[in-house]
Amino acid sequence: MLSTQRWSEQGLALLQLLLVASFSKAEERGCILMGEPEEPQLFKTGDIILGGIFSFHGNWKTVELTYAHRPLPLQCTSLNFRSFQYTQAMLFAIEEINNSTDLLPGMTLGYKIYDACSSNAHSVRVALALTDVSEDTTSMSEKPCSGSVPAIMGETSSSRCMAIATVLGPFHIPLVSHFATCACLSDKVRYPSFLRTIPSDYYQSRALAQMVKHFGWTWVGAIRSNDDYGNNGMGIFTDIATQLGICLEYSISFFRTDPPEQKQKIIETIKGSTSKVIIAFLTHMDMDELIKEFAHFNLTGYQWVGTESWISDSQIAIAKGHYILDGSIGLAIRKAHVTGLREFMMDVKPLNSSGNKLFTEFWETTFGCTFNHIKQTGENLEQCTGSEDLTGIKNSFHDMSLMPIFNNVYKGVYAVAHTLHNILGCGEMCSNIIASDPQVILQHLKKIRFKTKEGEEVYFNENGDPAAKYDIINWQTKKDGSVEFVTIGLYDASLPEDKQLNLDNLTLTWANNSKQVPVSVCSGTCALGTRKVLQKGRPVCCYDCIPCAEGEVSNTTDSITCVRCHPEFWSNERRDGCEKKETEFLSYTEIMGTILTLSSLLGACLTATVALIFFRHRNTPIVKANNSELSFLLLFSLTLCFLCSLTFIGRPSDWSCMLRHTAFGITFVLCISCVLGKTLAVLMAFKATLPGSNLMKWFGPRRQRIVVLAFTFIQVVICVVWLTANPPYPFKNFRHFKDKIILECALGSPIGFWAVLGYIGLLALLCFILAFLARKLPDNFNEAKFITFSMLIFCAVWMTFIPAYVSSPGKFSVAVEIFAILASSFGLLFCIFIPKCYIILLKPERNTKKNMMDKKS
C-alpha cells in the first residue's frame, strides 16, 4: 500500500508539471481550473496577499485508486504543531508590518496559507492554487492568471520545495523557505525563483566533514533520510570526507515508513560495524523513529553527529530512548530572538481566528476536548469552551527551542515586505498599490539587504542563499536526567578555511557521558619507522603498519612511504632516522692491521739482519759465490717489499692510493729482476766451464746490473703511464655492505693494475723456468735449487691471490693483497738467504772456496 501511495504521489506531481508546461507554452496565458478548488486553511484580506504553504498535518489517509471515478480530496491526518509555530511566526511578521509606519505605510498585507499535508503532490496542487487569488475560484471558465501572490513562504521539506519551485519557476513567483536546506536548491537553472533564509546543506556538509576530521575520526558510519534532504546532503558530505581522508564504513538510507525487515537490516549493519561514530543526516521525524529502534535493541555507546534538522530539537531530547543520543554533537542554526514572538504564539483564540476550522482542530487536539458544533464520534471527550489555559499545556507547541527557525520565517516575510516597499516607491505613503510583475519582484528580492529590529543583517547571495553560520551544539545530560543543548563552538563559512571551525573542547561531553574523545578509526596510527600498506579490498582508511625496509626511514606518523637514506647514511634500529654509516678500512689499530704491520716490520728487520750478516761476511766464499752485489740489491728490494705493504694500511688518500700499487709493482720487479739476474748468473757460470766457452765474458757483473735495471725500468714506465692516464684514487664503496662504507682505493685503470701484476708474473715465471733448468747442475751449493723453490712459492701465492682478492669484500681484499706481498717476500727471503745464513753462522767449516767448488757425484 505504501508503494501505491508513493507512486500515486509521483503520478500526481507529474500531472501537475505537465499542466504547468502547458501553461508556459500557451500563446495566451490562461488558467483552467480542473477539479475541486483548494481552500486555504488560513486567509486574511489585504492590499497585497502573501502566500504560505506549511504542512499542518504529517500524514494522510491512504486511498486505493480504482481509476473508475475521480479520487476523493486528500484527507490529512496527524496534526503537526511545528507548522503551527511556523505559521504563527509568519502571522506575527505580517502583523508587525501592518502596524508599522516605516514599512509599506498605508498598505496592509493579507495572506492565504495552505496545508501541504506533507505530500509532494499536494504541495504542487496548493502552489498552483496560489498562482491565482481571484475571488471567483469556482468558475470553470478560462480566465487570465494575473492575480498570483507576489511571493510564497514555505515549505519545510527540501523535497516539497523542489516540487513547488519547479512549478513556480515558469511563473517567476518567489518561494522563500525557512527550513529547506538541500544544496540542490541552489541550482538557479532548475529552481530560478527559489530563495531561503537558512544556509544550504553544502556548507553544513562541509562543516560536518571538517568537524569529524578535527576530532580524528577517520572511520565512521552514516545514516541518511531517504529523500532529497538526506541523499543530497550525504552525497556532499561523502565527497568532502573523502578529500579529507575520512572513510564511511557504511551509508544507509532510512525512512520512517520503512518496513520492519528494512529497519532490522539497518540495526544488524550497525551491530556488525567497528566504527563508533554515526553521522545522522536525518529529518527530525526520521530521527524520532530511528531512536525508537535503537532503544528497542539498546544500541548505546555510539557517538552521534547530527544536522540542524534534529540536533537542537527539544522534542527529540525528551522522546523515549533519547538517552541513545547522549553526548551528541552537531550543527544548529544560530541562536536568535524575536521580541514579542513567544507571546504572540501563545495568544491563540480558536473561535476568532481567520482559520476557524484549522485552529479549532488545533485546540481540540491540544486539550483533548470537542466543541459543540463538532459531531461526536463515540469518544467520551470533554466539551471545549475556548477559554482553556494554553500556557498550562506542555507539548511541542510550547517548545521555543526552534526560535532560530521561527526567526527564518520572520526574516523571509520582512525580505518580501522590504522588496515590495522598494518596488512601490514607498515614502510616507506607498504611491503604487498595483502588484508588480512577479519577475520584477524576484529580481529585487534577490538584491535586497536590510537589518531586522534585532540588528541581524539579511541578504541573499547569487544562489539565493544566506550567509552560512552555525552554532555547534553538544547534548549534555543534567543531574535531573534532562538534556541541555550547550553551544561549544561556531562554524562561519565566510572565514578562511583554516579558521571556519572554532571549538571549545574543554566543555564537551561525549557518548556515555565520557570526557574522553571517542576513537573511531579502522586502523590505528602508524608509528615512526613504519608505513601504511592498504588492506586489499578495503577502504583507504584500513591499512597495516609495516616497518620500513633497511636503509629507509619515516619520521612522521601515518606515513604512506618510507624515504631512503642518503648513500652515506643508514637507518637506525627504530627506522625513524638516518645515522651516518660506519666507515671501514684496514687500520693500524685493529687486530688484523696490527698483525700485518708487525709482520711487515718483522720481515724488514729480518731482511736487514741478513744484510748485516752478509755485510760482515762479505769476503767469505759463500757470499762472494754468486755476485754479492746482486745479493745486497736483492736484500734491499726485499726490505722495500716488506715496507711497501705498510702503504696499504690506514685511511686511503690520494697519495697512498697511488703509492701503494706503484711502490709494490716497482719493488717486486726489482726483487724478481735480481733473482732473475742471479739465476742467469748460475746458468752462465756452469755453461762457462765447458771447453771453449766465453759466456761469462758476456754476462759479467756489469751486464747483470744492466739486466736488472732494464727489467725494472719497464715496470717504471708501466706505472708512469698508469698514473698519468688514470691513477688510483680513494673510493667509498657502498655495495658490499648495506650499513657500512668501505674506504678503499679504486684502481682507476684496471688495465694498468693488471699490467703491473702481469709483468711481475711474467718475470717470476721466466725466473722459475730458468731456475728449474739449472736445478741439477753439479755443485756443492747450487743456488738455482733455492731460487726454484722460492719462485714456486711466489707463483703459488700470487696465483692464489687473484681469486681471493676478487672475492674478498672491503678491507679483507686489502689484507689479502698484503698477505700475498708478505708471503712471497718471506718465501724469497727464507729460500734464498736462510740456507746461506745457516752455513755462515752454524757451519762455518763449509764456508770455504774448496767446498763451494766441489762437484757432487
Side-chain angles (χ1 to χ4, degrees):
M1 186 63 70
L2 177 62
S3 177
T4 303
Q5 171 186 338
R6 289 186 177 176
W7 279 108
S8 300
E9 279 206 270
Q10 294 176 5
L12 288 171
L14 179 60
L15 181 63
Q16 302 288 4
L17 291 177
L18 291 174
L19 178 61
V20 171
S22 66
F23 286 166
S24 61
K25 293 180 180 179
E27 293 182 2
E28 295 182 3
R29 296 181 61 194
C31 294
I32 301 177
L33 182 63
M34 301 181 66
E36 295 296 325
E38 287 294 329
E39 296 292 337
Q41 271 61 44
L42 298 174
F43 173 74
K44 181 179 179 180
T45 60
D47 297 318
I48 299 176
I49 304 295
L50 295 184
I53 302 176
F54 300 97
S55 291
F56 295 111
H57 296 86
N59 214 329
W60 61 89
K61 288 184 178 180
T62 303
V63 178
E64 186 172 355
L65 301 177
T66 63
Y67 301 98
H69 54 272
R70 186 187 301 277
L72 296 173
L74 197 65
Q75 299 182 43
C76 301
T77 61
S78 303
L79 202 63
N80 183 0
F81 287 111
R82 284 193 179 90
S83 289
F84 274 91
Q85 292 176 309
Y86 302 148
T87 303
Q88 285 288 78
M90 178 178 174
L91 300 184
F92 174 72
I94 292 175
E95 191 73 19
E96 270 195 352
I97 294 168
N98 288 341
N99 294 330
S100 171
T101 57
D102 298 325
L103 191 60
L104 294 175
M107 299 190 67
T108 59
L109 294 178
Y111 50 81
K112 288 184 74 171
I113 302 177
Y114 287 86
D115 183 8
C117 206
S118 300
S119 165
N120 291 359
H122 198 64
S123 298
V124 172
R125 184 175 178 85
V126 298
L128 287 172
L130 284 170
T131 61
D132 185 8
V133 293
S134 61
E135 294 294 332
D136 184 12
T137 60
T138 60
S139 172
M140 296 295 291
S141 62
E142 185 176 342
K143 57 184 183 299
C145 293
S146 59
S148 62
V149 293
I152 298 176
M153 314 308 300
E155 228 274 0
T156 302
S157 162
S158 293
S159 294
R160 294 192 286 276
C161 280
M162 291 168 66
I164 296 171
T166 302
V167 170
L168 297 181
F171 299 110
H172 307 290
I173 300 175
L175 173 65
V176 184
S177 175
H178 55 281
F179 208 38
T181 58
C182 179
C184 56
L185 287 164
S186 296
D187 185 352
K188 294 301 104 177
V189 175
R190 296 177 60 188
Y191 311 107
S193 63
F194 178 81
L195 301 98
R196 53 185 158 196
T197 53
I198 188 170
S200 165
D201 277 340
Y202 171 79
Y203 301 102
Q204 179 171 220
S205 298
R206 291 183 65 88
L208 288 174
Q210 290 184 30
M211 189 162 59
V212 170
K213 181 67 174 180
H214 174 82
F215 292 116
W217 300 326
T218 58
W219 186 239
V220 300
I223 305 178
R224 67 188 186 277
S225 290
N226 193 15
D227 57 14
D228 295 297
Y229 168 75
N231 292 330
N232 282 278
M234 186 55 68
I236 297 172
F237 172 83
T238 303
D239 292 341
I240 303 301
T242 301
Q243 296 174 18
L244 296 177
I246 301 167
C247 300
L248 268 63
E249 183 179 11
Y250 57 85
S251 182
I252 309 171
S253 62
F254 173 77
F255 199 73
R256 55 190 176 278
T257 57
D258 282 342
E261 56 271 17
Q262 179 65 21
K263 296 177 181 178
Q264 178 66 29
K265 185 178 180 181
I266 293 173
I267 295 299
E268 293 301 326
T269 299
I270 295 174
K271 277 185 176 181
S273 66
T274 58
S275 56
K276 297 300 180 183
V277 175
I278 300 177
I279 313 300
F281 223 108
L282 297 162
T283 65
H284 66 276
M285 291 180 287
D286 290 339
M287 192 69 202
D288 188 49
E289 184 67 27
L290 184 65
I291 62 172
K292 293 177 184 178
E293 297 295 327
F294 269 71
H296 178 72
F297 291 94
N298 196 29
L299 289 180
T300 59
Y302 292 95
Q303 179 60 49
W304 291 84
V305 180
T307 60
E308 92 299 329
S309 179
W310 65 268
I311 195 66
S312 59
D313 194 316
S314 60
Q315 293 305 302
I316 292 180
I318 62 174
K320 182 180 179 181
H322 69 84
Y323 63 90
I324 297 293
L325 304 175
D326 285 351
S328 297
I329 61 171
L331 302 175
I333 305 303
R334 297 211 66 189
K335 289 181 179 179
H337 175 71
V338 182
T339 305
L341 179 56
R342 179 184 180 87
E343 294 75 14
F344 182 87
M345 283 189 174
M346 294 295 103
D347 186 22
V348 178
K349 299 300 180 183
L351 300 180
N352 299 326
S353 300
S354 56
N356 186 286
K357 182 179 178 180
L358 181 63
F359 275 92
T360 297
E361 182 183 359
F362 162 77
W363 202 264
E364 290 177 338
T365 304
T366 301
F367 292 101
C369 61
T370 181
F371 286 98
N372 289 334
H373 63 278
I374 302 298
K375 184 177 180 180
Q376 298 297 325
T377 59
E379 297 181 7
N380 187 18
L381 299 176
E382 296 182 3
Q383 185 173 343
C384 297
T385 63
S387 59
E388 286 83 359
D389 185 9
L390 194 60
T391 59
I393 299 296
K394 296 298 181 183
N395 60 17
S396 59
F397 185 76
H398 294 76
D399 177 22
M400 293 295 145
S401 63
L402 297 182
M403 184 60 74
I405 312 302
F406 307 155
N407 184 47
N408 286 345
V409 179
Y410 180 83
K411 291 187 294 185
V413 175
Y414 264 87
V416 174
H418 277 280
T419 301
L420 293 173
H421 184 91
N422 294 341
I423 293 175
L424 299 177
C426 298
E428 294 183 0
M429 293 294 291
C430 294
S431 59
N432 186 1
I433 63 172
I434 300 175
S436 298
D437 182 70
Q439 189 167 6
V440 176
I441 297 175
L442 177 62
Q443 296 305 318
H444 279 76
L445 183 57
K446 289 179 178 179
K447 300 175 182 178
I448 198 66
R449 197 179 192 103
F450 66 95
K451 286 188 177 181
T452 66
K453 64 181 180 180
E454 310 296 342
E456 182 179 359
E457 189 172 20
V458 179
Y459 63 93
F460 303 101
N461 64 15
E462 66 276 6
N463 295 322
D465 300 328
K469 294 182 181 180
Y470 297 95
D471 285 333
I472 301 176
I473 300 298
N474 180 219
W475 282 35
Q476 298 186 7
T477 305
K478 296 191 289 187
K479 293 182 179 180
D480 61 0
S482 62
V483 175
E484 180 181 7
F485 302 136
V486 178
T487 302
I488 52 127
L490 171 68
Y491 179 84
D492 188 349
S494 63
L495 297 176
E497 187 169 349
D498 59 336
K499 297 180 180 179
Q500 291 175 350
L501 191 66
N502 186 7
L503 279 166
D504 180 10
N505 293 0
L506 298 178
T507 60
L508 275 167
T509 298
W510 302 100
N512 294 330
N513 292 318
S514 170
K515 294 297 181 182
Q516 296 294 324
V517 179
V519 177
S520 186
V521 294
C522 183
S523 301
T525 300
C526 284
L528 302 180
T530 63
R531 65 182 178 91
K532 294 180 179 179
V533 175
L534 298 182
Q535 296 176 1
K536 188 175 181 180
R538 304 199 69 188
V540 295
C541 299
C542 301
Y543 49 82
D544 296 317
C545 300
I546 65 171
C548 292
E550 291 184 339
E552 296 181 347
V553 297
S554 67
N555 55 10
T556 59
T557 57
D558 287 333
S559 176
I560 60 175
T561 58
C562 293
V563 180
R564 180 164 292 278
C565 293
H566 186 273
E568 294 190 10
F569 291 80
W570 192 249
S571 57
N572 56 21
E573 292 184 2
R574 298 185 303 275
R575 304 285 197 275
D576 60 356
C578 293
E579 297 177 344
K580 195 169 182 63
K581 288 182 180 179
E582 176 187 352
T583 55
E584 183 179 86
F585 57 90
L586 187 61
S587 69
Y588 294 101
T589 56
E590 61 180 296
I591 296 177
M592 184 165 57
T594 302
I595 292 174
L596 292 174
T597 301
L598 293 176
S599 299
S600 176
L601 294 176
L602 176 63
C605 291
L606 286 175
T607 305
T609 302
V610 171
L612 181 61
I613 292 172
F614 267 50
F615 181 76
R616 291 187 62 182
H617 299 85
R618 61 186 178 276
N619 294 320
T620 60
I622 199 168
V623 175
K624 297 170 64 177
N626 196 355
N627 195 341
S628 60
E629 184 179 346
L630 281 182
S631 295
F632 283 110
L633 185 59
L634 177 58
L635 287 171
F636 173 72
S637 63
L638 278 176
T639 303
L640 293 180
C641 287
F642 280 116
L643 293 178
C644 79
S645 63
L646 296 178
T647 62
F648 289 82
I649 304 175
R651 179 182 288 272
S653 64
D654 290 331
W655 285 104
S656 67
C657 286
M658 289 188 290
L659 180 63
R660 62 172 59 173
H661 289 105
T662 54
F664 152 72
I666 294 172
T667 55
F668 256 79
V669 165
L670 178 60
C671 180
I672 299 300
S673 298
C674 293
V675 174
L676 183 60
K678 292 174 72 67
T679 305
L680 289 173
V682 170
L683 282 173
M684 296 305 171
F686 282 96
K687 293 291 183 182
T689 59
L690 296 177
S693 175
N694 58 351
L695 287 177
M696 288 306 296
K697 178 181 177 181
W698 295 102
F699 201 74
R702 183 179 177 184
R703 300 291 175 87
Q704 292 176 19
R705 287 195 293 270
I706 293 174
V707 168
V708 170
L709 291 175
F711 282 131
T712 305
F713 179 75
I714 294 173
Q715 183 75 308
V716 171
V717 172
I718 294 174
C719 290
V720 169
V721 173
W722 181 15
L723 293 179
T724 304
N726 192 2
Y729 57 89
F731 172 69
K732 294 180 179 179
N733 188 340
F734 302 105
R735 297 191 309 273
H736 288 301
F737 298 100
K738 296 178 180 179
D739 56 345
K740 294 180 181 179
I741 301 175
I742 306 300
L743 299 181
E744 58 187 18
C745 288
L747 297 177
S749 172
I751 297 176
F753 174 73
W754 292 111
V756 169
L757 281 184
Y759 184 65
I760 294 174
L762 180 64
L763 290 182
L765 181 62
L766 178 61
C767 185
F768 172 74
I769 293 172
L770 293 176
F772 183 79
L773 294 175
R775 74 189 187 284
K776 292 184 178 181
L777 293 175
D779 196 346
N780 214 14
F781 186 80
N782 186 359
E783 195 174 26
K785 295 178 181 179
F786 301 109
I787 293 174
T788 301
F789 194 62
S790 66
M791 286 298 101
L792 184 62
I793 294 174
F794 185 91
C795 292
V797 167
W798 284 101
M799 288 178 67
T800 307
F801 158 76
I802 294 174
Y805 178 81
V806 172
S807 61
S808 297
K811 63 183 180 182
F812 297 102
S813 64
V814 178
V816 166
E817 190 169 358
I818 296 174
F819 177 79
I821 293 172
L822 295 177
S824 56
S825 299
F826 275 114
L828 289 171
L829 179 64
F830 289 159
C831 291
I832 296 176
F833 292 101
I834 293 303
K836 295 181 180 180
C837 290
Y838 172 77
I839 293 174
I840 292 172
L841 298 176
L842 300 178
K843 298 290 182 178
E845 67 276 9
R846 295 172 57 183
N847 190 4
T848 62
K849 186 175 181 181
K850 181 178 179 300
N851 189 59
M852 295 293 104
M853 298 299 295
D854 284 346
K855 307 288 185 180
K856 288 185 177 181
S857 57

